[in-house]
Amino acid sequence: METFIKDKVSAVIPVFNGALHLSSMLDSILGQTYSSIEVILVDDGSTDKTLEVAESYREKFVSKGYDYRIVQSEHKNASAALNRGFPYVTGEYLIWPDSDDRLEKESVETRVRFLQENPGYHCVRSLSYYFQQETGTLLPADEKTGDISKEDLFWDILEGRTYVCCGCYMLRTESFFKIYPRRRIPEYDVGQNFQMLLPFMFHHQCPTIPEKLYGVCVRPGSHSRRILTKEEEEKKYQDYERLVDEIAFICRIQDKESKERIQYWKIRRRYSLAVKFKDRKRMIGSLWKMRWKIKKYR
C-alpha cells in the first residue's frame, strides 16, 4: 500500500501558454494560510514564456517552505498533463486548480480542516466565484450550483445540475489512486474534470463548504470558452460520449437503469447540438429517442 505524507496537500497544476496569467494562481498559492503544500506545475508544451514565469517563482516557494516542482511535457491536453504530474504526488490531499484561477487565502486550510475533523469523508468541495481577467469584475457563474446540501453528486455532475469547477474540490489522495492505481486518468481533449470527479463521486459522498474559496478567471480566449466550429463541436460531443463510456466501465456500471440514464444523457446532448446548428433531421430523431424517458430523467 502506498503511503502519503500526513497533512500535506499536493497541488497538480497543468498549464499551456500561461505566461500572462500563471502568476495569479502561483501568487494565490503563496498567499495560503496552510503550511504544508507541494506544487507540481506541469507545462503542457507551452510556446510562450510560461517556463520563464514558472522558474521565476522557485525562490519564492523555497522561502515559503513549499515544495515546488516543474514538469515539462510535449503539448497534448490537460488530462495528459495531469498524468505527467501524478507520479510526483506525495501529499495526503490532492487538488488540481486551473492555472488562470486563484485560491482564496484560507481555501486550502479550510478544506483540510474539514477532512481532518470528518475522517469519514474522502473529499470536500467549496463554492466559487467568477471574475473578469482584466478588471477583476465579478461575473455571473456559468455553471449551476445545485443543491449544496446533497452529497451524492455523481448524477448531478454528469447531468449538469451542479458544478465541476476543479479548484473547488479536494480529494484524499489514497482514495483517488485506489480508483486509478496506475496514476493515470483517461486522456481526452475535453478537459479533465469528468475523469477526476465522476469515478470518485460514484464511490464517495462529497459535502460542500458554503464558502466561496475559489475564483474562476473568465478569459474569452481560454480553451474552455473559445468558439468552436460545427465540426469541432461535434468531435467534442463524441469525445465526451467516449469518455463517459470509459468512466462507466471504470465504475463497473452494469445495471439497466443506469445504462439507460447514460444513454438518455447522450441523446439529450445530441438534441442540444442539433438545436444549436438548426439540424432539423437530428432534432426530430433525438426527440423520438428521448420521448419515453423525458419525464423520468429530466
Side-chain angles (χ1 to χ4, degrees), residues 268-280:
R268 188 175 178 182
R269 284 169 51 84
R270 293 172 192 170
Y271 173 74
S272 298
L273 188 63
V275 170
K276 181 175 181 178
F277 291 106
K278 299 178 181 180
D279 189 330
R280 182 177 173 80

Side-chain angles (χ1 to χ4, degrees), residues 40-71:
I40 302 161
L41 184 69
V42 185
D43 176 54
D44 186 31
S46 296
T47 57
D48 64 358
K49 295 185 178 181
T50 294
L51 278 175
E52 292 182 30
V53 173
E55 287 290 350
S56 73
Y57 274 81
R58 193 175 292 279
E59 289 302 317
K60 296 178 183 178
F61 278 95
V62 171
S63 298
K64 178 77 173 183
Y66 290 170
D67 296 332
Y68 185 63
R69 179 189 296 271
I70 300 171
V71 181

